């Protein structure tokens, strides 16, 4: 009998601690499947950031480092420069990457650092229980925007892919979502492409994954998926923003 | 005094700041102090104040630098890893003599550590975590009522001396609810801030807020001025609670939430015929050395209890100055000493 | 003399923290010294929640409890975790609809109340915590129905005040069980 569904080797056999309906679990699995398919687990070194996934170093089978809040791209830079032939990736949330870590991600991309960033955009701070993130939508109510996010007070959401794709050093930039099977398949393709970009030494690669945080959105898992489709998809259009392969 | 309310420590800090006239708050989320930001986010718009969730603690402390330069009462709050990030700004603001209040609801380190109560930031707060010769006034409340009183005090001390004042608590104080009574109105002295950046209006010399003095003579003079100011603060602003110390068998030194545990120990010990005293520093800097000097030869020994590997104990030893034995008992990582553990240690010392 | 050290424990979402808060508020209105301390941080995510409440004639020392005069548990793991905290002669109240095991100790007073079942019969599962608090009040006398009602007014947002009569009904159901 053929095995059609099994845990990727790159993911340890432990149950993940995330809330019901949270996208982090799916994204972990996709990253692990890609590591398996590319056969790079032995060369892979991941960097966990600070957020709900702060301890995902426990879940991936490859070597892992834990970085200070926002600094994962800098830590990854250090690792990559020591091991230029290894596959180095960061896994970061929107608070981590687009608020406190904006300088690090922009400069890692600008340097064309040959690392891959998995950027999980759930439009909120999960770990610290629901404050505004740089990606929080206009009008969205959070613990620190109790009257809704207002442009005149809180500014506008940051579109990370659009911004980073303007940088010469960024080789692969794509936004995906994991709210249904078709999109999950697409997300995996993009993650694989991003890792391949790194293997081909083309430059910096990032995949932004739109995801759910039912707990801090105050929604049931199914409602959260609906909310993502209705609110996040229009604000954060899916698609490829940069692929040096396609450039002539 | 008004009505007795049951409130969370973190919320009382925010409420006290608002009552003290603070209308600017800049912060970045971190457990276990985030309720301060949540409270400010809700209340600031109602009093025409400003709440900004900064992109980082580095940005938040520099927003504080700006608002304080402009002459406003301003506050930021964070917890240990975030306070580490603020150290650069703290050093700069101290040199520029800017008044502001910083809250540190300490969690366990080093590193990302954990979120449970700790007193591991004592050295950072009182010995200067940033570069250069500067001091913060560090206030260590031990009850929710004191969080209110001392937060208001912190603003007044900051304005009176043009220094940074820090409120240092831990997750127990920040998260616990206890009764608190607010005064109907805070009496804020009129601090004339003629140094502040308000625009010259074309009718005065320009004001400058800076922390750079390239000429060594000028920088030394500025440092001497700062040190004189710190001496004045030490003279006028030292606060301490001395409890049950007259003819005590042993005196325990403890601050913040640990002092609460020690007060329970004092009762337990009494039942066994052991007289335990408590010296509770309320200002960690300036350190209440005088109280320790005064009682140095009264008990058979001193015991410092801390949620750290032994930090304040160094200041206790300096103050006791060899006139008595100073023992130490500490827990780390968010583990708390039980009353029995402390009492056992006391009995062991007295044996 | 009143001196109660109470631990309330169960799953997040069962109203563990708010039950403790209302109780503490009622104790304060009674003229007692009180403290309330929740478990906090990511440990709460989807998992367990507990709070420590002290109601006393004397000033409250540490709000962190190493022992308890009374324990309310609303799930099995909490009984396992906290049973040993209770002082000899102390009280354990369990929601027997959810806690299938009985406390093993013989040196304490045990009340097993099917609070969740009773609450569901009343048409609102969220009253299970109040039913248990009712029994605690009946057993210890830490506060009165009057002060508990006043505390509800203080703790609940205005728009939820219409629920107060039902909450008091739940409280009385617990007291009389
Ligand atoms: C210097 C510093 N500041 C603040 C924090 C507290 N903190 C922990 S996680 C987090 C934000 C996480 O949000 P996000 O990156 O969006 O990830 P999510 O939890 O949503 O997955 C913050 C602010 C910290 N650990 N260190
Ligand atoms: S809080 Fe949000 S982001 Fe964090 S695990 Fe839960 S659902 Fe996921």
């Amino acid at each position: 009998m053929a095995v059609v569904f099994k845990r990727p080797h790159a993911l340890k056999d432990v149950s993940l601690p995330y809330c019901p309906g949270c996208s982090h679990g799916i994204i972990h699995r996709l990253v692990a499947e890609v590591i398996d398919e590319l056969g790079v687990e032995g060369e892979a070194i991941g960097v966990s950031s600070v957020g709900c996934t702060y301890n995902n170093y426990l879940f991936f089978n490859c070597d892992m480092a834990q970085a200070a809040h926002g600094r994962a791209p800098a830590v990854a830079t250090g690792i990559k420069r020591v091991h230029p032939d290894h596959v180095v990736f960061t896994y970061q949330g929107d608070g981590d990457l687009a608020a406190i870590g904006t300088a690090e991600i922009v400069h890692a991309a600008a340097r064309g650092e040959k690392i891959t960033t998995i950027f999980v955009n759930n439009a909120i701070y999960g770990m610290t229980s629901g404050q505004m993130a740089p990606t929080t939508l206009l009008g969205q109510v959070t613990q620190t925007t109790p009257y809704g996010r207002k442009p005149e007070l809180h500014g506008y959401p940051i579109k990370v892919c659009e911004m980073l794709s303007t940088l010469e050093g960024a080789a692969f930039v794509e936004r995906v979502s994991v709210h249904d099977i078709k999109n999950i398949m697409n997300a995996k393709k993009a993650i694989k492409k991003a890792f391949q970009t790194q293997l081909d030494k083309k430059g910096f690669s990032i995949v932004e994954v739109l995801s759910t945080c039912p707990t801090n959105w105050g929604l049931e898992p199914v409602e959260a998926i609906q909310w993502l489709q209705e609110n996040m998809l229009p604000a954060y259009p899916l698609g490829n923003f940069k692929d040096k392969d396609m450039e002539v | 005094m008004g009505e007795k309310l049951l409130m969370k420590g973190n919320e009382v800090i925010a409420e006290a700041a608002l009552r003290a006239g603070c209308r600017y708050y800049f912060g970045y989320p971190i457990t276990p102090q985030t309720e301060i930001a949540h409270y400010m986010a809700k209340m600031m718009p109602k009093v025409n104040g400003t709440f900004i969730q900064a992109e980082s603690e580095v940005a938040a402390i520099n927003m504080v630098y700006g608002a304080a330069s402009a002459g406003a009462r301003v506050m930021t709050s964070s917890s240990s890893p975030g306070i580490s990030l603020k150290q650069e700004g703290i050093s700069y603001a101290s040199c520029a003599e800017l008044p502001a209040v910083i809250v540190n609801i300490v969690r366990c380190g080093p590193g990302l550590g954990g979120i449970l109560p700790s007193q591991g930031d004592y050295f950072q707060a009182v010995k200067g975590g940033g570069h250069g010769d500067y001091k913060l006034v560090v206030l260590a409340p031990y009850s929710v009522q004191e969080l209110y009183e001392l937060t208001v005090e912190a603003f007044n001390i900051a304005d009176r001396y043009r220094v940074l004042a820090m409120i240092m608590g831990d997750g127990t104080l920040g998260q616990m609810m206890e009764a608190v009574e607010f005064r109907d109105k805070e009496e804020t002295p009129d601090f004339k801030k003629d140094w502040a950046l308000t625009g010259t209006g074309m009718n005065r010399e320009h004001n400058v807020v800076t922390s750079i003095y390239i000429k060594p003579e000028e920088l030394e003079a500025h440092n001497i001025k700062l040190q004189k100011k710190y001496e004045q603060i030490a003279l006028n602003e030292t606060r301490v609670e001395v409890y049950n110390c007259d003819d005590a068998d042993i005196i325990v030194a403890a601050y913040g939430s640990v002092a609460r545990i020690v007060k329970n120990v004092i009762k337990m010990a009494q039942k066994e015929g052991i007289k335990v005293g408590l010296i509770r520093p309320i200002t960690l800097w300036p350190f209440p050395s005088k109280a320790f000097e005064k009682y140095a030869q009264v008990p058979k020994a001193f015991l410092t209890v801390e949620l750290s590997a032994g930090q304040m104990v160094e200041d206790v030893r300096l103050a006791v100055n060899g006139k008595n034995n100073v023992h130490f008992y500490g827990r780390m990582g968010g583990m708390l000493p039980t009353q029995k553990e402390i009492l056992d240690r006391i009995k062991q010392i007295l044996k | 003399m009143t001196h109660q050290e109470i631990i309330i424990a169960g799953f997040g979402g069962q109203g563990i923290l708010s039950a403790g808060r209302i109780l503490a508020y009622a104790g304060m209105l009674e003229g007692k010294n009180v403290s309330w301390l929740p478990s906090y941080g990511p440990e709460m995510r989807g998992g367990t929640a507990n709070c420590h409440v002290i109601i006393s004639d004397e000033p409250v020392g540490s709000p962190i409890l190493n022992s308890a005069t009374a324990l309310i548990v609303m799930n099995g793991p909490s009984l396992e975790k906290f049973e040993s905290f209770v002082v000899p002669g102390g009280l354990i109240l369990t929601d027997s609809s959810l806690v299938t095991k009985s406390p093993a100790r013989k040196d304490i007073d045990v009340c097993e109340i099917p609070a969740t079942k009773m609450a569901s019969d009343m048409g609102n599962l969220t009253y299970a915590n109040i039913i248990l608090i009712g029994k605690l009040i009946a057993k210890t006398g830490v506060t009165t129905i009057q002060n508990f009602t006043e505390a509800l007014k203080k703790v609940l947002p205005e728009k939820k005040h219409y629920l107060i009569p039902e909450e008091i009904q739940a409280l009385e159901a617990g007291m009389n069980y």
Side-chain angles (χ1 to χ4, degrees):
Chain A
M1 203 172 70
V3 178
V4 290
F5 186 84
K6 70 175 196 337
R7 178 176 283 273
H9 189 269
L11 207 57
K12 282 193 192 292
D13 190 9
V14 290
S15 67
L16 300 177
Y18 309 118
C19 309
C22 174
S23 312
H24 274 310
I26 300 171
I27 302 167
H28 283 35
R29 188 180 169 98
L30 295 182
V31 172
E33 284 179 0
V34 166
I35 291 176
D36 275 14
E37 286 171 23
L38 293 172
V40 294
E41 188 183 311
E43 292 86 61
I45 303 174
V47 183
S48 312
S49 62
V50 177
C52 283
T53 58
Y54 74 98
N55 64 349
N56 66 6
Y57 51 78
L58 295 175
F59 314 140
F60 289 106
N61 252 323
C62 56
D63 279 356
M64 298 289 295
Q66 212 286 330
H69 197 20
R71 317 300 179 216
V75 172
T77 296
I79 294 173
K80 184 72 182 188
R81 295 297 177 114
V82 174
H83 298 300
D85 296 326
H86 283 44
V87 178
V88 180
F89 69 95
T90 70
Y91 188 109
Q92 301 176 258
D94 42 32
D96 191 84
L97 180 141
I100 194 167
T102 327
E104 281 76 6
I105 196 68
V106 166
H107 288 276
R111 285 192 305 270
E113 215 57 66
K114 291 164 198 72
I115 61 173
T116 300
T117 290
I118 307 300
F119 168 41
V120 180
N121 176 359
N122 57 13
I124 205 152
Y125 282 35
M127 175 81 161
T128 43
S129 67
Q131 297 81 19
M132 180 186 77
T135 49
T136 290
L137 302 175
L138 292 181
Q140 190 180 333
V141 171
T142 70
Q143 292 280 8
T144 47
T145 54
Y147 311 109
R149 181 175 189 166
K150 298 192 177 109
E152 65 278 18
L153 291 177
H154 312 108
Y156 297 86
I158 295 181
K159 297 183 178 180
V160 169
C161 282
E162 285 82 340
M163 181 174 79
L164 292 182
S165 61
T166 64
L167 298 169
E168 208 60 44
F172 182 86
V173 180
E174 185 156 325
R175 185 182 289 123
V176 298
S177 176
V178 288
H179 64 270
D180 61 20
I181 304 286
K182 180 169 144 275
N183 277 284
I184 291 175
M185 303 298 273
N186 276 341
K188 182 169 164 187
K189 259 189 235 152
I191 294 171
K192 199 164 179 181
K193 200 92 200 281
F195 274 87
Q196 192 60 51
T197 302
Q198 176 178 176
L199 287 167
D200 297 343
K201 301 194 186 302
K202 291 203 178 98
F204 175 78
S205 52
I206 181 169
V207 179
E208 172 175 343
V209 189
L210 301 187
S211 40
T212 50
C213 177
T215 302
N216 288 301
W217 293 355
L219 298 174
E220 292 300 318
V222 178
E223 297 169 341
I225 288 182
Q226 207 169 354
W227 190 89
L228 182 149
Q229 286 172 279
E230 284 166 13
N231 299 281
M232 288 185 76
L233 289 180
Y236 297 109
L238 303 184
N240 184 277
F241 293 85
K242 195 156 183 192
D243 186 350
K244 279 219 166 138
D245 257 359
M246 312 298 258
E247 285 168 17
V248 276
Chain B
M1 291 299 218
E3 177 192 7
K4 244 192 201 172
L5 300 169
L6 188 70
M7 280 179 80
K8 211 175 204 190
N10 282 334
E11 294 183 343
V12 166
I13 296 173
E15 178 63 28
L18 292 171
R19 285 170 180 264
C22 169
R23 290 294 175 271
Y24 298 85
Y25 171 90
F26 308 107
Y28 186 79
I30 185 166
T31 313
Q33 62 77 49
T34 314
E35 292 85 0
I36 301 177
H38 296 176
Y39 197 88
M40 290 300 199
K42 230 182 268 158
M43 299 311 287
M44 277 299 191
K46 297 188 180 172
V47 294
N48 264 329
T50 295
F51 161 85
I52 293 183
Q53 181 183 323
E55 69 273 27
S56 70
E57 292 86 352
V58 176
I61 190 72
N62 284 290
M63 291 174 187
V64 168
Y65 188 102
S69 302
R73 281 204 153 174
V74 53
M75 181 167 97
T76 184
S77 65
S78 189
S79 176
S80 310
I83 298 290
S84 290
L85 282 179
K86 290 184 197 290
Q87 292 304 324
E88 177 193 60
I90 288 175
S91 170
Y92 279 60
S94 297
C95 188
E97 298 190 82
L98 293 172
V101 174
I102 299 163
V103 179
N104 184 4
I105 302 298
V106 182
R107 53 191 246 182
C108 315
L112 201 47
I115 56 171
L116 293 175
S118 165
Q119 298 181 325
D121 294 1
Y122 179 92
F123 281 155
Q124 186 197 52
V126 309
K127 311 281 177 192
H131 60 283
D133 279 310
Y134 71 89
K135 288 287 180 196
L136 305 179
V137 175
V138 184
L139 299 153
Y142 92 136
S143 67
V144 171
Q145 182 69 31
E146 231 176 53
L147 279 174
Y148 158 54
E149 309 282 354
L150 293 182
T151 301
V152 172
E153 265 309 285
F155 279 99
N156 290 335
I157 292 172
D159 276 343
R160 192 171 305 130
Y161 300 96
R162 292 182 62 186
V163 283
L164 297 179
M166 176 178 275
I167 299 287
M168 203 152 101
D170 62 24
T172 306
L173 278 173
Q175 297 294 327
M176 79 182 284
M177 282 189 162
E178 210 172 23
V180 57
E181 271 180 87
F182 296 110
R183 288 175 287 269
D184 294 333
K185 198 176 168 299
E186 297 304 331
E187 300 297 338
T188 305
D190 182 25
F191 297 103
K192 261 189 53 217
K193 298 188 176 178
D194 51 10
W195 48 267
L197 310 184
T198 54
T200 62
M202 303 299 279
N203 55 24
R204 63 161 167 78
E205 251 316 292
H206 77 159
N207 283 343
V208 174
V209 171
T210 181
S211 80
I212 183 168
Y213 296 83
I214 290 289
K215 289 199 188 114
E217 298 81 3
E218 282 179 19
L219 183 51
E220 186 178 54
H222 184 63
N223 267 288
I224 290 169
K225 177 181 164 209
L226 292 180
Q227 294 304 318
K228 286 227 169 89
K229 174 166 89 175
Y230 298 146
E231 276 166 30
Q232 279 305 307
I233 296 174
L235 222 53
N236 303 334
E237 306 296 346
T238 308
R239 288 163 171 74
V240 63
E241 184 193 13
V242 175
Y243 180 77
N244 213 33
C245 283
D246 293 328
D247 54 73
D249 297 317
I250 187 167
I251 292 179
V252 177
Y255 69 94
S257 62
V258 178
R260 300 179 67 114
I261 304 179
V262 173
K263 284 205 169 165
N264 285 0
V265 173
I266 292 174
K267 267 190 239 158
M268 272 175 84
Q270 223 149 20
K271 288 186 197 139
E272 305 193 20
I274 307 170
K275 188 158 182 216
V276 179
L278 169 69
I279 297 184
R280 175 172 75 93
I282 297 173
T283 47
L284 302 181
W285 192 89
F287 191 73
S289 305
K290 290 257 159 55
F292 287 95
E293 275 166 38
K294 183 173 166 202
Y295 286 93
Q297 280 158 327
V298 171
K300 299 193 184 83
F302 283 81
L303 170 66
T304 304
V305 185
E306 291 177 63
L307 305 180
S308 79
Q311 301 195 12
M312 183 177 78
V313 65
E314 294 193 0
D315 285 332
V316 176
R317 288 199 176 115
L318 281 173
V320 171
N321 200 13
K323 295 199 186 90
N324 208 329
N325 284 327
V326 179
H327 300 264
F328 174 72
Y329 185 70
R331 296 294 306 256
M332 289 175 280
M335 300 299 294
L336 301 171
T338 62
Q339 296 157 34
K340 186 171 172 307
E341 265 168 58
I342 299 174
L343 187 58
D344 286 348
R345 191 68 220 271
I346 288 173
K347 287 188 204 160
Q348 192 196 338
I349 293 168
L350 291 178
K351 211 158 51 184
Chain C
M1 197 195 82
T2 308
H3 183 81
Q4 288 290 334
E5 302 184 342
I6 304 152
I7 296 178
I8 310 175
F11 289 121
Q14 284 180 319
I16 299 289
L17 301 187
S18 63
R21 249 182 87 188
I22 301 163
L23 185 64
Y25 221 117
M28 184 181 76
L29 296 174
E30 204 72 32
K32 311 285 181 201
N33 297 298
V34 302
S35 70
W36 171 94
L37 181 72
S39 53
Y40 62 89
E43 69 180 79
M44 287 165 63
R45 182 161 310 133
T48 57
N50 69 71
C51 64
H52 297 185
V53 176
I54 300 176
I55 302 178
S56 179
D57 285 325
E58 292 190 38
V60 174
S62 175
I64 306 152
L65 295 177
N66 308 122
S67 64
T69 56
L71 169 69
I72 298 180
V73 286
M74 294 185 72
N75 68 10
S78 296
L79 179 61
E80 254 165 61
K81 184 168 172 195
F82 292 113
E83 183 172 346
S84 64
F85 278 56
V86 181
V87 297
L91 172 67
I92 296 187
L93 296 157
T94 72
D95 182 341
S96 57
S97 323
L98 305 170
V99 183
T100 45
K101 261 199 175 154
S102 293
R105 288 180 50 184
K106 298 282 168 271
D107 58 342
I108 47 174
D109 187 6
V110 175
C111 297
E112 299 176 280
I113 305 172
T116 294
K117 163 109 196 355
M118 288 164 72
S120 124
D121 291 345
M122 289 178 65
N124 192 336
L125 274 178
T126 61
Y127 292 152
N129 56 355
I130 302 294
I131 291 172
L132 289 160
I133 295 283
K135 190 71 195 173
L136 177 91
I137 293 174
K139 281 273 182 185
T140 61
V142 279
T143 186
T144 57
I145 296 188
Q146 288 76 8
N147 277 331
F148 196 85
T149 312
E150 284 307 303
L152 281 169
K153 286 186 198 156
K154 296 283 183 188
V155 174
L156 294 180
E158 197 96 29
K159 59 175 192 270
K160 292 242 169 114
H161 280 194
Y162 73 95
L163 291 172
I164 292 177
E166 278 184 32
E167 305 238 8
I168 295 302
Q169 246 182 311
L171 190 80
E172 284 176 331
M175 290 176 116
N176 300 328
Y177 180 80

